[in-house]
Amino acid sequence: MPIDTGHALAATARDTISETNAAELATSLFGIRGHAERLDGEYDDNFHLIATNSNDAWALKIASRDETEESIALQHNAMRHAGIGNPRLATTEIEGVRRFVRLLEWVPGTLLTRVAPQSSALLSSLGAELAKLDRALLDFDHPAAHRHLQWDLLQTAELREETHHVSDAHRRALVSRLLERVDREVLPVASQLRRSVIHGDANDFNVVVRDDRVAGLIDFGDMVHSATVTDLAIAAAYVMTGKNDPLGAAAHVVAGYNGELPLTDAERRVLYPLMLARLCMSVVISAARRASAPDVAYYRVHEAPAWAVLEQLDDVSFDIAQDVLFSRCRAPSDSGKLRRERAGNLGANLSLSYAEPLHIVRGWKQYLYDADGREYLDAYNNVAHVGHSHPRVVEAARRQMAILNTNTRYLHDSIVEYAHRLTAKLPPPLSVCWFVNSGSEANELALRLARAHTGRSGVIVNADAYHGNTQRLVEVSPYKFNGPGGAGPVRDVHVVAMPDDYRGKFRRDDTHAGEKYAEDVRDVIDATRDGAFLVESLPSVGGQIIPPRGYFAHAFDAVRAAGGVCIVDEVQVGFGRTGDHFWGFEMQDVVPDIVVMGKPMGNGHPVGAVVTTAEIAKSFANGMEYFSTFGGNPVSMAAALAVLDVIEEEALQENARRIGDGLKGMLAALASKHEIIGDVRGAGLFIGVELVRDRVTLEPAGQEAALVVNALKDRGILTGTEGPHHNVIKIRPPMCVSMADADRIVDTLDAVLTSGVF
């Protein structure tokens, strides 16, 4: 059956029935004197009727010319059965056509579409009010409800035949694919679903809000006998539009509904597919109607928001979506109990983030979700490089795990393929790879390579640097050995100044700052003849530092002149995070002797790597076998290959550049408003905001930074602090963040600083 393209007579009727005509009809049919104000409507002529001599008000609805008496009876009887108002009905002739005229109680308030932001309490009340109506109608029936309706979510087979109206090929394929999945999920359990008469159109134009609660549902013109759960699916689908976290918003509606009318197992199974079906209906029917009547703006009201949600949810697995939707239906998590159990069985020095620790149970793209279903924008976690739970990475690892996972003593294509692709991203002569499980293991191996090649154990490192958690790496990490529990530097480790051009001895206005900081390296290497200079390309723990130009070039020259090797730690910023470059060291126009990689490589899968020159690799091949049981295994390589694919295909390096530049610019502008922001620095999606109590003395605001980070967390944004004074807010989100996320970070930080949390 073809899609209904709308009532052609509707526009003509609206021209005929003026507000004056409507007021006259109210007097002649219902004995009410007042004035009428036209309201929006697709088919009916609707008016807000206000009494002349009182504050009484009604909704006057003049049905379209082709409305049937049976349909009107269905609506009136259902409203009376559910105890909604006291509807009155009359008929009249307008231009020789019999028209039904209804007088309904006015529900004061604001339409949901005009309420922003929509609180969790409001969304929950929507679910609850809809459930109360559905519960009241469970034992109601009417012959007119058993009609064919194009919007019935159980009629998706007909909708698939109309997808040709969607002109864009990608979008047409999207709705076709989703509708096929809907049928696969719904049809097997359709007979198990409760059936009843439903409202059928709880969209944001049909929901009235008052005092942050739903005051009532209006417009019963789409009532139909269908699966009861479709009423919830419709409301939840509309609520998702325009939301950063569409599933999280819908979860509040689901929880409110389930609290009043508990869902059956079958209804839980089909809820998310039916929500997608409603969104698909919105775009397909809108496309069909626009083809017939391109100038009717009403047909486009929900189309763009529905497309946005469909495209946002395209690669979300049904399992994840279902879990999120019902997360608010579970009992609140007992985080206190979990922390107590952790304390009893885990090491006491395993730290937790934030004053009130989070119980995170799920991640998706740039978002994390706690056990209670609350969504957080993750602006902190650079491990999930291409986004939490990226389906491409997950599927690659799952598929390989189902086939084979073993060690590198057997031939396997993937490790060779990854080595080729990785070295292609590096400048010559970096060409020989070892694969390990973590950045710590990689840095440990890098130091072994340096020692084998130079015959010397000494290492030069920056102050406040951190390179890993093995015993040797703690010995070369001033952040650890000079911190709580640390034993100070060992004899063969030498510390040079951090090239910090904001707080250090050479500042940003000194064009030779890089060369001057490098003199520290030259002095130490000349005195000690150490074998290696180990440096982060952009020091993170040290305070999100961007070394001044020339630092690496002059330092490397000094180290190599003394026979040493230069190791660059790319664990924090490699793989395109800086935006303009794939590797952080490229910002300094240098080529290291050894490069260390970790965190971002596997997007959460434990993968690390060391890449060096053929000459250094030859020195390490001294007869002793090197073996890492899990390093380079087929599953790890599958995940790492998928990460490279996603970075390229989704243009995430360019996204890091574009979003990072915009975010850094907005944060710099925010500094003009808040004196506590002393400096904003960064490259791409590696950004630091340093807080100071005085911009002249640069007195660090460490306590204030901790309060800000916790306040941001309470408002749904995760960040952290770094630097020797713990006063630098670090922002390192997954590479898939959007400009809307950047705006949210800045707006929320502005609100926190304005609120006076310290």
Side-chain angles (χ1 to χ4, degrees), residues 274-323:
L274 289 173
M275 290 165 59
L276 293 177
R278 180 61 180 209
L279 293 167
C280 289
M281 279 188 169
S282 291
V283 298
V284 172
I285 292 176
S286 177
R289 289 179 170 181
R290 281 193 296 104
S292 175
D295 297 329
V296 180
Y298 186 87
Y299 297 155
R300 299 190 296 272
V301 169
H302 287 115
E303 185 178 11
W307 275 124
V309 177
L310 284 171
E311 289 168 344
Q312 190 173 356
L313 298 178
D314 181 24
D315 54 2
V316 178
S317 75
F318 275 38
D319 290 342
I320 289 177
Q322 292 282 72
D323 200 27

Side-chain angles (χ1 to χ4, degrees), residues 22-270:
E24 291 171 349
L25 284 173
T27 302
S28 63
L29 297 176
F30 303 109
I32 295 175
R33 295 187 180 277
H35 68 276
E37 298 175 355
R38 181 174 289 280
L39 301 171
D40 290 334
E42 182 177 6
Y43 300 143
D44 296 342
D45 288 274
N46 302 317
F47 297 89
H48 183 192
L49 183 66
I50 305 168
T52 302
N53 298 318
S54 70
N55 292 325
D56 294 339
W58 300 266
L60 185 72
K61 294 180 70 69
I62 304 169
S64 63
R65 300 184 182 195
D66 56 356
E67 191 69 83
T68 65
E69 186 171 358
E70 292 79 9
S71 176
I72 295 294
L74 165 63
Q75 297 175 50
H76 271 241
N77 291 345
M79 293 174 71
R80 290 193 180 100
H81 186 88
I84 299 174
N86 183 29
R88 299 166 64 184
L89 175 65
T91 60
T92 189
E93 279 198 6
I94 300 175
E95 294 189 342
V97 178
R98 185 188 182 206
R99 305 284 289 275
F100 295 97
V101 183
R102 291 178 285 170
L103 188 72
L104 308 175
E105 287 187 7
W106 179 257
V107 182
T110 304
L111 294 180
L112 180 62
T113 190
R114 296 172 186 158
V115 177
Q118 295 172 359
S119 70
S120 58
L122 170 58
L123 297 177
S124 180
S125 75
L126 170 58
E129 290 303 313
L130 185 60
K132 291 175 184 176
L133 174 61
D134 284 345
R135 188 174 60 209
L137 295 177
L138 283 175
D139 60 351
F140 169 79
D141 205 354
H142 191 279
H146 295 263
R147 57 176 172 152
H148 178 274
L149 185 69
Q150 61 181 1
W151 290 100
D152 186 352
L153 297 189
L154 299 184
Q155 307 297 327
T156 54
E158 294 179 4
L159 191 69
R160 287 208 309 272
E161 298 175 2
E162 302 298 329
T163 56
H164 66 274
H165 290 290
V166 179
S167 58
D168 181 270
H170 172 76
R171 287 181 163 181
R172 186 167 60 251
L174 170 60
V175 293
S176 298
R177 183 171 67 252
L178 289 176
L179 288 172
E180 289 175 2
R181 181 71 187 272
V182 167
D183 280 354
R184 289 200 302 272
E185 297 290 333
V186 175
L187 293 180
V189 295
S191 62
Q192 303 171 34
L193 301 175
R194 287 180 290 190
R195 304 294 179 108
S196 63
V197 176
I198 62 170
H199 178 276
D201 197 20
N203 71 62
D204 44 6
F205 286 89
N206 289 338
V207 177
V208 180
V209 176
R210 186 169 63 250
D211 299 328
D212 201 38
R213 293 292 187 276
V214 170
L217 296 167
I218 60 175
D219 192 352
F220 286 66
D222 285 306
M223 299 193 81
V224 68
H225 190 274
S226 186
T228 309
V229 70
T230 59
D231 228 9
L232 172 59
I234 292 164
Y238 281 114
V239 158
M240 289 197 296
T241 60
K243 303 295 194 302
N244 286 326
D245 175 25
L247 290 170
H252 291 292
V253 181
V254 174
Y257 189 100
N258 190 66
E260 292 288 340
L261 184 61
L263 297 166
T264 67
D265 289 344
E267 288 170 338
R268 284 173 172 253
R269 173 176 169 177
V270 302

Side-chain angles (χ1 to χ4, degrees), residues 499-501 514 535-539 545-552 588:
D500 180 353
D501 62 4
V535 61
E536 296 171 88
S537 57
L538 280 75
I545 302 299
I546 310 297
R549 294 278 302 175
Y551 175 67
F552 278 40
Q588 296 267 337

Side-chain angles (χ1 to χ4, degrees), residues 396-437:
R398 185 206 63 78
R399 185 172 58 248
Q400 183 59 50
M401 191 69 169
I403 299 171
L404 172 71
N405 196 29
T406 186
N407 60 57
T408 55
R409 287 197 172 110
Y410 302 99
L411 294 174
H412 199 273
D413 294 343
S414 60
I415 191 171
V416 177
E417 180 184 356
Y418 189 77
H420 284 320
R421 291 187 60 182
L422 183 63
T423 54
K425 294 284 189 182
L426 290 160
L430 296 168
S431 59
V432 183
C433 306
W434 286 265
F435 297 109
V436 292
N437 304 292

Side-chain angles (χ1 to χ4, degrees), residues 451-532:
R451 187 169 186 171
H453 186 66
T454 65
R456 292 175 260 164
S457 65
V459 182
I460 302 171
V461 293
N462 286 135
D464 304 307
Y466 174 68
H467 295 286
N469 59 21
T470 68
Q471 179 60 44
R472 182 54 174 167
L473 294 180
V474 169
E475 292 174 352
V476 301
S477 297
Y479 172 75
K480 289 295 186 183
F481 67 65
N482 284 332
V490 295
R491 181 181 57 80
D492 61 350
V493 174
H494 299 93
V495 179
V496 295
M498 178 67 75
D500 180 353
D501 62 4
Y502 173 70
R503 181 175 291 279
K505 56 185 177 180
F506 306 114
R507 301 294 173 84
R508 205 162 294 164
D509 57 356
D510 186 343
T511 58
H512 298 287
E515 182 178 358
K516 292 177 179 178
Y517 277 116
E519 285 300 315
D520 274 4
V521 179
R522 185 179 302 277
D523 291 343
V524 170
I525 196 72
D526 286 346
T528 65
R529 315 303 288 181
D530 282 331

